[in-house]
Amino acid sequence: GAVVSQHPSWVICKSGTSVKIECRSLDFQATTMFWYRQFPKQSLMLMATSNEGSKATYEQGVEKDKFLINHASLTLSTLTVTSAHPEDSSFYICSAVGTSGGASTDTQYFGPGTRLTVL
Amino acid sequence: LAKTTQPISMDSYEGQEVNITCSHNNIATNDYITWYQQFPSQGPRFIIQGYKTKVTNEVASLFIPADRKSSTLSLPRVSLSDTAVYYCLVAPSGNTGKLIFGQGTTLQVKP
């Protein structure tokens, strides 16, 4: 099946700094990528939808100026948490759908997640 | 997107069959039902997807009654490694669009 990777797998940063998380589709072209956030013992919460070459669409309550999403290529999307604070500490997960060999992917593939800890 | 309701938790023993039922009373005509599995500190993993009747793959079976207002994920002969959170999702065009995750069912398999 299709593979989605994330980098880094975990990151610790100081309050006030910015952190960038990468999401890559390794063997297919990701026309759409999604970003989720998951707090401990809670479900995944969709943050935004990103189509290649377009501005991301953010879910209600998600600050677009704080969570910058870039999807400049068909294999890479980035999420930048700007001026991170301890309450931004969470597990960030991306997913992707797209095409492989001309055929649409039949499911949404998730990355392994990135654990962000803000001190 | 249709809302789903699942039991918060379930316990089972190794070797048993586990059935997790999900209610989705407001499912739309073009909605598909998809189940994901998630281990701690990992991204969700696709298990199975269906539209109606029964779907089976090498991992699980999905039973969907005629009215499609519920579905049951069946895991045959579970092992300790099946301990995870299982999410039932309902979305149009399968699961290639926006997904809204519910609370999921935490399955604990005991020896």
Side-chain angles (χ1 to χ4, degrees):
Chain A
V3 177
V4 174
S5 70
Q6 285 185 236
H7 177 80
S9 56
W10 59 270
V11 57
I12 301 173
C13 69
K14 293 182 179 180
S15 184
T17 61
S18 294
V19 174
K20 180 183 285 188
I21 301 170
E22 295 184 347
C23 176
R24 294 182 185 272
S25 58
L26 300 184
D27 53 0
F28 68 102
Q29 296 181 320
T31 50
T32 303
M33 285 185 167
F34 303 88
W35 285 95
Y36 298 82
R37 179 168 53 179
Q38 186 174 33
F39 292 108
K41 305 234 180 263
Q42 293 188 25
S43 184
L44 284 78
M45 184 187 76
L46 179 65
M47 299 175 67
T49 302
S50 170
N51 292 303
E52 186 266 336
S54 303
K55 288 185 178 180
T57 301
Y58 291 80
E59 294 298 303
Q60 189 173 10
V62 178
E63 300 175 58
K64 63 179 182 179
D65 294 329
K66 180 170 183 63
F67 299 99
L68 302 179
I69 293 172
N70 183 280
H71 190 172
S73 80
L74 285 172
T75 59
L76 173 65
S77 176
T78 60
L79 167 68
T80 301
V81 183
T82 63
S83 187
H85 288 93
E87 58 265 31
D88 298 321
S89 297
S90 189
F91 192 53
Y92 292 86
I93 306 169
C94 71
S95 67
V97 296
T99 59
S100 177
S104 297
T105 56
D106 56 355
T107 189
Q108 189 168 139
Y109 295 96
F110 285 80
T114 297
R115 175 75 59 191
L116 170 63
T117 301
V118 185
L119 303 176
Chain B
L1 295 173
K3 181 181 177 181
T4 60
T5 303
Q6 309 172 229
I8 294 176
S9 63
M10 293 182 69
D11 287 342
S12 182
Y13 291 93
E14 283 189 291
Q16 289 187 331
E17 177 185 79
V18 171
N19 296 307
I20 306 174
T21 297
C22 177
S23 297
H24 27 79
N25 292 316
N26 296 322
I27 190 169
T29 303
N30 61 340
D31 283 342
Y32 283 71
I33 301 155
T34 309
W35 286 79
Y36 279 90
Q37 175 192 56
Q38 186 183 28
F39 297 112
S41 296
Q42 294 187 27
R45 182 177 76 103
F46 172 85
I47 300 176
I48 198 166
Q49 178 178 287
Y51 183 80
K52 62 180 180 180
T53 63
K54 176 184 175 183
V55 180
T56 297
N57 61 23
E58 64 277 7
V59 177
S61 294
L62 179 60
F63 299 91
I64 305 169
D67 65 6
R68 303 199 327 123
K69 292 184 182 300
S70 67
S71 60
T72 298
L73 174 72
S74 181
L75 304 172
R77 299 179 297 282
V78 295
S79 63
L80 295 176
S81 62
D82 292 315
T83 294
V85 179
Y86 292 83
Y87 293 99
C88 162
L89 293 99
V90 170
S93 303
N95 63 337
T96 56
K98 180 174 167 178
L99 296 179
I100 303 299
F101 282 76
Q103 63 185 10
T105 297
T106 299
L107 172 65
Q108 180 71 50
V109 180
K110 302 175 182 178

